[in-house]
Amino acid sequence: MRRYVERTLIYLMMALISAPFLSMYIGFFLRAFGEGSLLGIVPQRWGFSNFQFLWKPIAWGLGRTTMWAALGNTVLFAVTSGVVVTVICMLAGYALSRIEFPGRNFYLTLQLMLHAVPGQILLIAIFFLLLYVGLLHRLPGVALARASLEIPLGIWIAKGFFDGIPWDVERSAMVDGCTRFQVWYMIFLPLVRPGIAAVFIWGFLFAWHDFIYVYTLLPGTIKVMSTLIQSLLATEVIDYGYLAALSLIYALPPLVLFVFLQRALLKVPVFGGKGLG
Amino acid sequence: MRVTLEELCKYFGPVKAVDGLSLDIQDKEFVALLGPSGCGKTTTLLTIAGFYKPTSGAVLFDGKRVDHLAPRERNIGMVFQSYALYPHMSAFDNIAFPLKLKGVARRLRERKVKEVAALLRIGEILSRKPSELSGGQQQRVALARALVKEPGLLLLDEPLSNLDAKLRITMRAELKRLQKDLGITTIFVTHDQVEAMTMADRIALLNEGRLQQVGTPVELYRYPANTFVAGFIGTPPMNFLPGRLVSAEDKLTVVTEHFTLPIPARRLRQPFPGEKEIEVIFGIRPEDIVLGQGAIQGEVYVVEPMGKDALITLRLGEETLKALVSLDLHLHVGEKVNLNFPPDKVHLFEPGTGASLLGGRRES
């Protein structure tokens, strides 16, 4: 009986703590699927009319765009950033985990410090940098700049995974005839697949969520989901149901990606080995 | 392949992991690098393999310096204590990996893997992943991977220490036989003196980065060069007692608090001129002590039966000695026994350096 009471209390506490978030999410879903709302809150009936942007162009301000174009841009932007972050962090993480060179510890500390600096203060510098190399106002160029912000901590994440591989495995591979690059490519990469997934999600997610960089560095004609939603907010008449439906679509791909990669993230290989003798 | 180490030094900052190691390993020889943890044996092995650059000195293969060669260019096979199999590859792919890197054609690769797998009797398990193999099987796969490319030199880093006691004894004999059959020069790192004694042609005993003695197992056992070797080789370890070596009228005698013992002068490494006496450390192996006869009196303190033999702890006044004798002697705690140290079996060492004062006759 006492256990039952304790249980109930625990659930009650948990419900209380999650109530603000849950109510927001519930309101969000109700809005997205509700039609003809009364006083802007209580929906009259259920339907998909809020999702009309799936087949109709969206009007914003003076221009018109389709949701699909914005979604496509967002995917391109986030995937580019994720791939760039992954490739660089996997190479740098291996080097910092395995190769001794002067300034290695300084470099690692520097990466952490760089991450502590808010990325926004670099906006102007990045603006001019992209301008000079001719990548300003172009999606891949801005994706590259966005990726660079997640690389410092991404390197640390990657290094952590490489650190988990015993030295003996690497030495074995080198005796067996591997060059450094072959060790990385043929032995280490297959063993740190969860790490690759983690770093990719890292790079992908931050680019997917990004607003300030795409807003500042891309022309108004190239819309990603975050800037599209912002421009809808900026118009005079705001249809909250419509906005909620659009936001739902925006939130979906990271969720799907996470569900798919979750298995890889949890599948961490187990090693046993002797360290430096 | 002949391996020569010339005054090899490897320092890590202030730590002298290997300090002036010179060693000549003959073609087809099986040499054990033996020593306690931290003695520099693994560092030596990793330097021979090319993972560490020597601080000074040189490693030579067949008389040629190899310091500039990467591990992959040295034609060596290596087995690690942890076996270090590639977890994402099947046993077959693990063994075939060195051949794949060499660009050996698939057909030939398969044939060679099958051959070496048959040699090590692991033909049945080739499709399994390392995680599905027992420790003994993993070890055989690791050995097969090291042997498949027919290396000139095989390096083994404590390969038996992760096996259970029974399997270790089986593998000891198998590995020894395999090495002789294949005739591959082999360097074997171990901290277990029994492994080194039973398997190696010669043992190089290291302590604190320095070579203590190199020789056949019997040489190290019978003629230890210093107190470290004497105490490390042999179980239970040698007994040490402080004493004096007295020379009078061409006769040598060891004098300790509890006994005096004549020493044949021919056993001395250097002649002992005139009449004088020096401090020495007297050493005798437990298995060399004779109980039940002789003029020295001791008291039985502990009896530890071990099947055929018994390990007896004896007290000579304040000193204790271990003696390994037949269980048939039926000794009891508290009993007074006579004991004797055969003069040919005793050891004498210099107290300061620990160096042996007695000659190390070569076995013929």
Side-chain angles (χ1 to χ4, degrees):
Chain A
M1 187 63 201
R2 226 181 110 212
R3 253 191 80 200
Y4 182 75
V5 174
E6 264 177 26
R7 273 271 164 95
T8 317
L9 272 173
I10 289 169
Y11 281 121
L12 214 65
M13 287 292 283
M14 281 181 356
L16 214 65
I17 292 167
S18 25
F21 306 102
L22 270 178
S23 60
M24 277 196 279
Y25 274 105
I26 289 166
F28 179 58
F29 273 91
L30 290 181
R31 285 236 175 84
F33 292 101
E35 289 176 359
S37 58
L38 201 67
L39 303 170
I41 299 169
V42 188
Q44 302 291 73
R45 54 188 183 281
W46 305 108
F48 289 96
S49 71
N50 283 335
F51 289 88
Q52 55 177 285
F53 53 78
L54 290 176
W55 56 88
K56 276 190 200 159
I58 304 166
W60 54 274
L62 298 171
R64 286 166 83 83
T65 187
T66 66
M67 191 280 303
W68 294 110
L71 192 68
N73 282 340
T74 315
V75 169
L76 180 69
F77 183 70
V79 168
T80 308
S81 165
V83 168
V84 169
V85 168
T86 307
V87 170
I88 291 177
C89 290
M90 282 296 138
L91 283 164
Y94 171 81
L96 289 166
S97 167
R98 285 306 205 258
I99 303 170
E100 280 288 336
F101 53 88
R104 179 168 160 274
N105 285 329
F106 170 75
Y107 185 79
L108 276 169
T109 320
L110 183 73
Q111 295 303 307
L112 271 190
M113 276 160 56
L114 283 181
H115 190 78
V117 174
Q120 284 80 345
I121 64 167
L122 295 173
L123 263 176
I124 296 166
I126 289 176
F127 180 92
F128 281 108
L129 193 66
L130 290 181
L131 181 70
Y132 291 142
V133 296
L135 286 170
L136 190 68
H137 289 186
R138 293 169 68 182
L139 207 60
V142 180
L144 218 57
R146 190 68 194 77
S148 70
L149 295 178
E150 301 318 324
I151 284 170
L153 211 58
I155 286 175
W156 273 88
I157 298 174
K159 179 182 176 288
F161 279 92
F162 286 120
D163 284 347
I165 299 177
W167 279 89
D168 280 0
V169 170
E170 172 161 31
R171 291 187 178 133
S172 251
M174 291 182 113
V175 165
D176 282 349
C178 282
T179 60
R180 270 243 181 254
F181 184 77
Q182 283 172 323
V183 171
W184 179 78
Y185 182 73
M186 298 175 89
I187 305 295
F188 275 43
L189 280 195
L191 293 180
V192 297
R193 261 182 297 186
I196 297 175
V199 172
F200 177 78
I201 285 185
W202 182 257
F204 176 90
L205 227 50
F206 278 92
W208 185 271
H209 294 157
D210 183 62
F211 169 72
I212 193 78
Y213 276 83
V214 285
Y215 186 69
T216 319
L217 302 172
L218 285 178
T221 46
I222 302 179
K223 286 266 175 259
V224 295
M225 289 301 276
S226 59
T227 47
L228 178 68
I229 289 170
Q230 187 272 341
S231 55
L232 287 179
L233 281 168
T235 53
E236 283 164 27
V237 186
I238 302 167
D239 183 343
Y240 281 114
Y242 191 82
L243 217 55
L246 195 62
S247 302
L248 198 65
I249 296 295
Y250 182 33
L252 215 56
L255 211 66
V256 172
L257 183 75
F258 194 78
V259 169
F260 264 102
L261 291 181
Q262 187 188 293
R263 271 183 58 206
L265 286 172
L266 293 175
K267 208 170 130 194
V268 179
V270 182
F271 297 103
K274 186 192 178 198
L276 281 161
Chain B
M1 190 193 277
R2 218 179 106 218
V3 179
T4 313
L5 308 180
E6 280 179 355
E7 288 292 322
L8 190 70
C9 293
K10 178 66 193 172
Y11 303 160
F12 296 101
V15 181
K16 296 181 175 181
V18 181
D19 195 13
L21 175 60
S22 292
L23 193 61
D24 205 6
I25 296 161
Q26 299 305 314
D27 187 33
K28 299 184 181 174
E29 199 178 13
F30 193 156
V31 168
L33 290 180
L34 176 65
S37 350
C39 74
K41 54 195 192 297
T42 297
T43 307
T44 306
L45 200 73
L46 292 177
T47 312
I48 294 171
F51 294 111
Y52 293 151
K53 280 223 174 324
T55 309
S56 66
V59 179
L60 293 90
F61 288 178
D62 284 331
K64 280 186 236 81
R65 285 183 76 130
V66 292
D67 303 320
H68 57 286
L69 294 179
R72 66 172 189 281
E73 298 162 330
R74 296 193 178 199
N75 190 25
I76 51 178
M78 195 158 175
V79 177
F80 294 87
Q81 183 182 19
S82 62
Y83 315 138
L85 298 176
Y86 310 126
H88 58 299
M89 296 183 193
S90 68
F92 182 95
D93 290 336
N94 262 283
I95 301 170
F97 189 65
L99 300 177
K100 202 170 148 188
L101 288 168
K102 268 191 182 175
V104 175
R106 175 184 292 269
R107 194 91 40 86
L108 185 59
R109 219 152 70 201
E110 267 174 32
R111 214 188 70 212
K112 289 205 165 190
V113 172
K114 294 250 164 74
E115 272 173 22
V116 73
L119 187 70
L120 290 161
R121 285 177 281 125
I122 46 170
E124 310 299 311
I125 56 154
L126 287 178
S127 58
R128 291 195 218 161
K129 286 271 176 73
S131 56
E132 299 159 348
L133 300 174
S134 71
Q137 289 169 332
Q138 286 184 18
Q139 203 226 21
R140 281 162 194 269
V141 173
L143 199 57
R145 185 178 65 182
L147 290 173
V148 76
K149 57 182 170 179
E150 294 158 25
L153 174 65
L154 185 62
L155 303 175
L156 308 171
D157 186 6
E158 308 238 6
L160 302 182
S161 48
N162 280 5
L163 300 177
D164 63 63
K166 222 170 166 183
L167 194 56
R168 202 178 310 163
I169 294 173
T170 320
M171 274 314 284
R172 226 157 61 189
E174 265 190 56
L175 212 56
K176 187 172 183 174
R177 177 67 207 230
L178 194 68
Q179 194 271 339
K180 286 286 163 267
D181 284 349
L182 298 175
I184 299 179
T185 312
T186 303
I187 302 175
F188 181 99
V189 160
T190 180
H191 64 269
D192 182 349
Q193 50 126 346
V194 179
E195 270 176 25
M197 295 283 279
T198 50
M199 292 164 75
D201 296 327
R202 281 194 304 152
I203 298 173
L205 183 57
L206 293 146
N207 187 37
E208 292 175 347
R210 301 197 70 94
L211 183 65
Q212 303 295 316
Q213 190 174 2
V214 57
T216 65
V218 176
E219 274 168 15
L220 263 66
Y221 177 79
R222 289 206 189 147
Y223 310 110
N226 57 39
T227 45
F228 178 81
V229 180
F232 197 87
I233 303 276
T235 31
M238 189 184 278
N239 299 294
F240 295 112
L241 292 173
R244 283 170 298 133
L245 183 62
V246 180
S247 165
E249 296 163 11
D250 289 347
K251 294 253 193 293
L252 290 173
T253 325
V254 175
V255 182
T256 73
E257 210 179 316
H258 307 286
F259 60 88
T260 58
L261 196 74
I263 298 289
R266 65 182 158 80
R267 290 202 59 204
L268 275 194
R269 194 182 287 265
Q270 280 174 354
F272 200 65
E275 303 213 353
K276 64 171 180 181
E277 61 174 73
I278 55 165
E279 299 277 317
V280 292
I281 294 169
F282 169 85
I284 180 87
R285 291 199 183 277
E287 53 271 41
D288 290 337
I289 296 176
V290 181
L291 287 191
Q293 46 169 293
I296 307 159
Q297 275 267 324
E299 188 193 316
V300 177
Y301 190 63
V302 182
V303 179
E304 297 167 71
M306 305 198 307
K308 179 174 168 289
D309 298 319
L311 184 63
I312 314 285
T313 309
L314 297 163
R315 298 208 72 151
L316 271 74
E318 291 299 299
E319 306 280 355
T320 58
L321 286 178
K322 299 263 186 201
L324 196 64
V325 297
S326 166
L327 202 55
D328 300 337
L329 281 178
H330 299 294
L331 292 164
H332 300 286
V333 174
E335 207 175 312
K336 300 263 186 256
V337 283
N338 289 342
L339 52 139
N340 186 27
F341 307 128
D344 273 341
K345 300 280 175 70
V346 305
H347 301 264
L348 295 177
F349 304 96
E350 219 179 311
T353 59
S356 175
L357 294 166
L358 303 181
R361 278 176 303 172
R362 289 264 151 192
E363 285 299 298
S364 50

